[in-house]
């Protein structure tokens, strides 16, 4: 399977941009956890929509979600090492690596939905007329 890195990076950029907007626009409450899941879902959907097919969409949506979460994890780990210390930062990062796999599931499902919708909208090849 060939990975369309343009689709993965586009989904990543959409997830980051929407994540920044959602984190600034909404207050942190008990229900904002559901709102913070939105960027990963939309980024996975965009990555899946850029490729065609349910399987390809799921793979690309999960990759877009994981790439975004991995970039955020690296940035937060570096910040934690600088301000908290190396032992708590490594402990937090090891737990966060497990969370990457959990985050890949909704991104993959959203990517599969996007790939399915793209497949339905794709023009179908014209059939040749039956010989007489």
């Amino acid at each position: 399977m060939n990975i369309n890195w343009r689709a993965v990076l586009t989904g990543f950029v959409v997830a980051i941009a929407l994540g920044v907007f959602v984190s600034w626009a909404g207050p942190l409450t008990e229900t904002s956890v559901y709102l913070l899941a939105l960027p990963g879902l939309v980024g996975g959907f965009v990555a899946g929509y850029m490729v065609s097919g349910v399987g390809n969409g799921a793979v690309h949506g999960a990759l877009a979600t994981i790439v975004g979460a991995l970039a955020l994890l690296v940035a937060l780990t570096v910040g934690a090492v600088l301000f908290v210390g190396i032992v708590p930062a490594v402990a937090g990062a090891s737990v966060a690596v497990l969370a990457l796999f959990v985050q890949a599931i909704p991104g993959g499902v959203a990517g599969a939905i996007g790939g399915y919708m793209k497949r339905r909208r794709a023009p179908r090849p014209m059939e040749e007329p039956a010989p007489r």
Side-chain angles (χ1 to χ4, degrees):
M1 172 187 296
N2 292 331
I3 302 296
N4 185 351
W5 289 106
R6 180 175 287 179
V8 171
L9 290 177
T10 302
F12 164 69
V13 168
V14 166
I16 291 294
L18 190 59
V20 167
F21 177 73
V22 165
S23 66
W24 283 340
L28 289 177
T29 62
E30 291 86 17
T31 59
S32 66
V33 174
Y34 300 117
L35 190 62
L36 292 175
L38 186 66
L41 291 173
V42 173
F45 180 82
V46 167
Y49 192 80
M50 288 184 70
V51 297
S52 183
V54 175
N56 284 337
V59 169
H60 286 80
L63 276 175
T65 305
I66 287 177
V67 166
L70 191 61
L72 183 62
L73 174 65
V74 167
L76 290 176
T77 302
V78 168
V81 166
L82 292 175
F83 294 110
V84 177
I86 193 158
V87 173
V90 170
S94 63
V95 171
V97 167
L98 294 175
L100 287 177
F101 297 111
V102 174
Q103 288 177 344
I105 294 170
V109 170
I113 293 170
Y116 174 74
M117 291 181 73
K118 172 78 179 254
R119 174 69 58 118
R120 288 192 53 169
R121 293 184 55 114
R124 298 183 185 202
M126 294 182 55
E127 295 181 14
E128 294 182 21
R132 295 185 180 189

